[in-house]
Amino acid sequence: MKQMQIIVLVKQVPDTTEVRLDPKTGNLIREGVKSIVNPDDRNAVEAAVSLKEKYGAKITVLSMGPPQAIDAVSEALGMGADKGILLSDRAFAGADTWATSGTLGKAIKKLGDFDLIIAGRQAIDGDTAQIGPQVAEYLDVTQATYVCGIDEVRPDAIVVKRRLEDGIERLELRLPALLTVVGELNRPRYPFVGRLLDACREKAPIEVWNAADLGFKTADVGLEGSLTHVVRTFSPKSKRQSEMLEGSARDAAASLIGKILNKKLLRETV
Amino acid sequence: MSVWIETDLCNGCKRCIKACPYDAIEMRGEKAFILERCTSCGSCISVCKQEAVKTDAVPRTIPDFSDWKGIWVFAEQRDGELLRVSLELLGKAKELGGELEQGVSAVILGKGIERLCDTLIRFGADTVHLVENESLRLYRTAAYTKVLARLVQQFRPSVLLMGATHLGRDLAPRLSRRIGVGLTADCTELSIDKTEKILLQTRPAFGGNVMATIANRYSRPQMATVRPGVMKTSEIPGQAGEVVCHDFKVEEKEIGTKVLELVREKKKKTDLSESNIIVAGGRGVGDRKGFVLLEELAELMGGELAGTRVAVEEGWISQDRQVGQTGHSVRPELYVACGISGAIQHRAGMMNSRYVAAINKDPRAPIFQVADWGIVGDLHEVVPEIIKQLKTGSWNKQQRGGGD
């Protein structure tokens, strides 16, 4: 069997658990939020590196984002990937999942033959989970989402476990295939410091491609190449008038039960 | 393409700042200034009365989609049982169809599922498209994508909705790319723009920290997945509909995927989306013992126990009972939040509850802003008091004003 070619898709995201809202305006405070490798994508890198250790493989990490997203690619190299590509261009900004999957798909075609693409289930800033299946469709390969186990890789097929809401499914997919993986699949290793330092050096095997490198016109990518558009954003606000129930625990409890029964939310005979 | 401000023309009215969906404009001195994170979306251009916002973008023309009509719902079945979210989508589709004066269709794929068509009609479908054969018995991406793509291209619906289940989130993006349309994921609200007659799709973004409303102007059908549990079902008395059977075979070699094994986990069924009353706990509950107390209250009220992400991470409650952005969306009649501060990620999962009661020590906890009734106090004192009074009926004597 010739050496397996694996492509891993990673995204650099703001750590949304750290995001705060401005109490006066209700707007997001974007400044000072640190950037991380999307959590599910670290599982994807780990899965690729484990397969490399078991079967032998060459791993290419592919990301799209602003120039600083190179840090995410470097981190994946630090974990054991061999090569990195960052797609970065002002023209890519504002892309919806249609434009993003088209851009990633074209870059993968440029990279040449592959056996397996591994991505995280979803990114914590968008939470759409759409890029994996859309890239699989662009490339016309089989797909499995919510992968929680990789049982076996054969020259022409892969056997994976897929997490369902109420169970588990074992699937055999014809290769090439695209997997999106969930956190329970593995525990991502920390980047190896030596490799991480190498990945940050100038001679690191990371290339940056722009729209022209992929043969795109501006109208094909980014916001202009998108099919969906944000019309407005707003902070979720509540219409409820919070009525505070005062008094001792005993009084407050009694008032609350009264309110609840008054709205006929409980049977009186409990 | 880019967008810039002619500083000489800007009068500092800040309209563009309000219109910007990305917070990418700020005041620098007396003038508006466009920041690096601008995506050139152009929302600011039309609101500027001074015509100070300029762009070099060629305006995009919207194609004529007047022959794309009808609201379609992909009805998901699992082992021959309809998923509740499919009925929730039909309820919403009926409402949208009413506004657009267009019919509602359900499409269902599988094997031996004909009897489900009746339910789909009772819950709002004017037409049910039924495709049955062995290759569709178990869900496989390629087979379902192929059949749906053909149906959509044949019947040209204006809107196509799917549940944001594991299956829906596997199928919808694959299908959208196949038929060349945009897709909005995990919507929590759908409405019709009255002037443009298009679907407005609202979803949490940025980890639930903001809500974004998204439009799909350039392709049809307008596709969206919708979170289970956020829309209401409504059975329509006397609703009549027709079932149209289609015969589409998909060859095994086209599918490329085999289901080797399918194990449904038979655990005690917790379906938070079906529950009328939910008693939920967060960090303030403190330990597993605290949840025993909440469970007693839940049982007494005939409800289910739930928790926040912190409660799950601490191991106080199982993951299938997590409410919030990364857990379930629920809409019970009554949601009792105990020791929950009300982080926006949690609120995203419970804000559709009909009534919310909150108990928290911190009077400034954001949960109180989304509550109908709030009690500032220690839940370890208040909850036992509620339990005691419910058991003995003594709440009535406590309340001098009288409840009812």
Side-chain angles (χ1 to χ4, degrees):
Chain A
M1 181 180 173
K2 68 174 176 44
Q3 192 185 36
M4 183 160 49
Q5 300 288 324
I6 305 178
I7 294 168
V8 185
L9 306 181
V10 303
K11 185 179 185 186
Q12 189 182 53
V13 294
D15 188 349
T16 54
T17 57
E18 299 278 309
V19 170
R20 294 288 170 269
L21 297 184
D22 184 323
K24 276 193 202 130
T25 62
N27 288 336
L28 276 181
I29 304 170
R30 298 181 198 234
E31 279 67 38
V33 179
K34 70 172 192 274
S35 290
I36 56 171
V37 175
N38 180 51
D40 287 348
D41 299 356
R42 294 180 65 230
N43 297 101
V45 177
E46 176 62 38
V49 177
S50 311
L51 289 175
K52 176 179 167 179
E53 286 165 352
K54 196 166 169 188
Y55 299 99
K58 185 181 172 204
I59 303 171
T60 305
V61 179
L62 177 63
S63 187
M64 173 170 138
Q68 62 268 27
I70 203 159
D71 293 348
V73 178
S74 304
E75 190 171 329
L77 257 51
M79 288 171 71
D82 300 292
K83 184 181 152 188
I85 309 283
L86 174 66
L87 311 179
S88 194
D89 195 314
R90 272 294 283 166
F92 295 151
D96 70 350
T97 63
W98 170 267
T100 303
S101 60
T103 307
L104 291 169
K106 201 158 181 191
I108 293 169
K109 281 196 170 165
K110 184 179 156 109
L111 280 169
D113 284 346
F114 63 89
D115 301 286
L116 197 58
I117 300 173
I118 311 179
R121 171 196 51 161
Q122 66 193 47
I124 56 170
D125 56 345
D127 287 312
T128 72
Q130 284 171 198
I131 292 302
Q134 288 180 331
V135 168
E137 172 62 25
Y138 185 98
L139 298 166
D140 193 21
V141 298
T142 57
Q143 75 180 51
T145 51
Y146 294 91
V147 169
C148 61
I150 299 176
D151 290 358
E152 188 191 352
V153 183
R154 297 197 299 265
D156 59 341
I158 183 167
V159 178
V160 299
K161 286 196 190 78
R162 187 167 177 256
R163 170 62 62 194
L164 305 175
E165 287 98 331
D166 59 351
I168 281 186
E169 185 179 55
R170 266 180 87 232
L171 289 180
E172 184 185 291
L173 304 172
R174 184 174 61 211
L175 290 176
L178 182 145
L179 314 178
T180 77
V181 304
V182 295
E184 68 170 291
L185 174 66
N186 54 40
R187 275 188 68 136
R189 68 193 69 194
Y190 287 103
F192 181 57
V193 176
R195 286 192 62 109
L196 198 56
L197 286 174
D198 286 342
C200 295
R201 294 217 168 89
E202 247 174 55
K203 61 177 177 7
I206 302 178
E207 289 176 38
V208 180
W209 294 353
N210 62 23
D213 293 329
L214 292 172
F216 278 124
K217 292 195 286 284
T218 314
D220 303 331
V221 293
L223 193 87
E224 282 190 77
S226 294
L227 294 173
T228 58
H229 295 91
V230 177
V231 183
R232 71 176 191 127
T233 57
F234 56 100
S235 302
K237 285 206 177 67
S238 167
K239 288 175 222 131
R240 297 174 208 272
Q241 286 292 326
S242 205
E243 184 187 347
M244 302 309 283
L245 308 178
E246 314 279 344
S248 65
R250 209 168 74 168
D251 292 345
S255 319
L256 181 61
I257 296 170
K259 300 279 179 198
I260 291 171
L261 290 178
N262 196 22
K263 298 288 180 196
K264 310 236 179 302
L265 300 174
L266 278 183
R267 284 166 291 118
E268 292 230 17
T269 50
V270 284
Chain B
M1 161 183 160
S2 63
V3 173
W4 66 92
I5 291 171
E6 296 279 351
T7 317
D8 294 346
L9 297 176
C10 176
N11 67 354
C13 73
K14 300 185 189 166
R15 280 195 181 85
C16 54
I17 294 180
K18 277 199 184 127
C20 178
Y22 298 98
D23 282 340
I25 312 177
E26 64 179 33
M27 293 303 285
R28 295 257 168 110
E30 302 283 288
K31 308 284 184 181
F33 180 84
I34 296 182
L35 301 169
E36 180 73 3
R37 65 169 165 264
C38 167
T39 63
S40 309
C41 77
S43 298
C44 49
I45 297 169
S46 59
V47 298
C48 180
K49 301 229 161 136
Q50 300 298 112
E51 295 184 12
V53 190
K54 303 289 184 192
T55 180
D56 55 3
V58 187
R60 230 166 126 181
T61 47
I62 298 172
D64 177 21
F65 291 120
S66 54
D67 57 335
W68 292 75
K69 282 200 172 70
I71 316 292
W72 274 36
V73 168
F74 170 75
E76 182 177 344
Q77 53 88 16
R78 204 173 278 172
D79 304 333
E81 298 291 329
L82 269 181
L83 260 61
R84 186 186 160 87
V85 66
S86 308
L87 304 181
E88 293 168 1
L89 293 180
L90 280 172
K92 191 68 196 182
K94 198 78 191 163
E95 190 188 313
L96 300 171
E99 279 191 57
L100 289 173
E101 298 176 355
Q102 294 180 11
V104 173
S105 301
V107 51
I108 186 161
L109 278 51
K111 171 83 179 164
I113 47 163
E114 200 186 341
R115 64 195 161 77
L116 302 178
C117 297
D118 203 40
T119 313
L120 295 172
I121 290 169
R122 273 194 291 120
F123 281 84
D126 303 308
T127 308
V128 179
H129 295 282
L130 171 68
V131 191
E132 286 192 288
N133 65 56
E134 187 54 35
S135 64
L136 302 173
R137 191 172 58 83
L138 292 175
Y139 169 74
R140 283 172 302 169
T141 315
Y144 274 49
T145 304
K146 183 164 187 193
V147 170
L148 283 174
R150 276 184 63 175
L151 284 175
V152 165
Q153 277 151 1
Q154 186 180 341
F155 290 92
R156 300 162 84 82
S158 171
V159 172
L160 173 58
L161 307 177
M162 294 191 183
T165 59
H166 286 204
L167 187 160
R169 297 174 104 221
D170 187 88
L171 174 61
R174 185 92 199 200
L175 177 66
S176 72
R177 185 85 222 178
R178 172 88 43 105
I179 59 179
V181 306
L183 169 66
T184 306
D186 288 7
C187 297
T188 53
E189 205 184 306
L190 297 172
S191 61
I192 299 292
D193 179 281
K194 294 205 167 46
T195 47
E196 283 190 73
K197 301 279 181 203
I198 55 169
L199 184 68
L200 296 178
Q201 307 148 335
T202 299
R203 68 182 304 264
F206 231 72
N209 292 286
V210 292
M211 302 298 286
T213 301
I214 290 161
N216 196 334
R217 290 194 178 95
Y218 302 101
S219 58
R220 290 291 182 281
Q222 303 164 82
M223 270 185 81
T225 64
V226 176
R227 286 198 76 152
V230 296
M231 306 289 177
K232 277 185 240 161
T233 60
S234 60
E235 201 168 339
I236 300 157
Q239 164 88 6
E242 58 164 347
V243 178
V244 184
C245 299
H246 302 272
D247 186 23
F248 290 151
K249 287 240 160 42
V250 188
E251 300 297 327
E252 280 303 313
K253 66 174 194 303
E254 293 177 72
I255 301 174
T257 306
K258 276 185 234 159
V259 179
L260 302 177
E261 197 180 359
L262 180 57
V263 186
R264 301 278 187 212
E265 281 157 4
K266 288 205 176 56
K267 53 192 166 190
K268 190 181 152 225
K269 204 177 159 213
T270 51
D271 194 348
L272 292 177
S273 65
E274 304 266 352
S275 186
N276 274 329
I277 295 175
I278 291 175
V279 177
R283 192 189 300 273
V285 178
D287 52 21
R288 207 186 281 255
K289 235 173 65 194
F291 267 91
V292 176
L293 185 67
L294 297 192
E295 191 166 17
E296 189 183 347
L297 179 61
E299 264 177 37
L300 196 60
M301 292 181 144
E304 289 284 349
L305 185 67
T308 62
R309 177 156 139 180
V310 173
V312 172
E313 280 170 1
E314 292 286 344
W316 299 337
I317 188 164
S318 63
Q319 174 141 36
D320 59 342
R321 291 179 183 272
Q322 184 190 329
V323 168
Q325 174 74 7
T326 49
H328 293 281
S329 287
V330 295
R331 51 176 319 138
E333 291 288 299
L334 174 64
Y335 191 87
V336 186
C338 307
I340 293 176
S341 65
I344 196 138
Q345 286 90 344
H346 182 73
R347 278 150 58 183
M350 49 67 76
M351 61 189 178
N352 285 313
S353 304
R354 185 156 166 233
Y355 289 98
V356 175
I359 304 162
N360 201 299
K361 268 199 254 185
D362 178 3
R364 287 167 310 173
I367 192 74
F368 288 125
Q369 292 163 22
V370 296
D372 297 279
W373 309 300
I375 297 176
V376 178
D378 185 349
L379 71 97
H380 298 93
E381 290 168 24
V382 178
V383 172
E385 195 60 46
I386 298 174
I387 292 172
K388 192 179 92 191
Q389 293 184 28
L390 278 175
K391 277 183 175 164
T392 60
S394 61
W395 62 275
N396 220 347
K397 292 164 213 124
Q398 299 282 331
Q399 247 203 345
R400 262 165 265 153
D404 286 287

